Amino acid sequence: MGVRRGLTISALGVAGIAALVALTWPAAPFALAALASEKPPEILMDFDYPERMESAAFANRFKAGTGETELSNWLKRNGFEIATQSSAKRRYEGVPCAYTYHVEWQSEGGILRRDATARLAGYGCL
């Protein structure tokens, strides 16, 4: 009787897991896409849409007086496309949200003259 009861409990457990998988299966691709999505670095995520579209953390990290090379290296490491001598852009195609950023700076002699700005130029979520 003990073996039979153990098998019954095991069968019920397997049936419960199968039911859970069946119920959540339609959401599985979305969940996997969200987990695998590329997301912007945390330093860019301190915006407050639509009131505040610029990252204060980014401006604080790349203040006036910072070396332009330091900013340029950060942008390259994070996949930004340098558009001009003083701007870059990057789109993060993510699930559930996609983000587009424009970065601008002014430099003289390889040193930032003012804080660099990272502006959220596009934002959309499913």
Side-chain angles (χ1 to χ4, degrees), residues 9-94:
I9 291 172
S10 295
L12 288 173
V14 169
I17 291 171
L20 182 61
V21 168
L23 290 172
T24 60
W25 185 252
F30 182 78
L32 288 174
L35 288 173
S37 285
E38 183 178 32
K39 293 166 185 58
E42 277 299 313
I43 194 170
L44 297 175
M45 297 299 290
D46 68 336
F47 64 90
D48 186 19
Y49 183 84
E51 288 81 24
R52 190 174 49 81
M53 303 293 281
E54 289 187 4
S55 169
F58 187 85
N60 191 46
R61 169 68 176 82
F62 297 103
K63 291 180 166 290
T66 303
E68 186 176 23
T69 302
E70 187 177 340
L71 171 61
S72 178
N73 288 341
W74 186 93
L75 292 168
K76 289 174 186 172
R77 265 193 325 273
N78 287 282
F80 277 77
E81 174 189 330
I82 307 295
T84 68
Q85 271 189 322
S86 60
S87 69
K89 61 183 176 178
R90 173 72 153 87
R91 179 161 175 86
Y92 292 90
E93 295 285 349

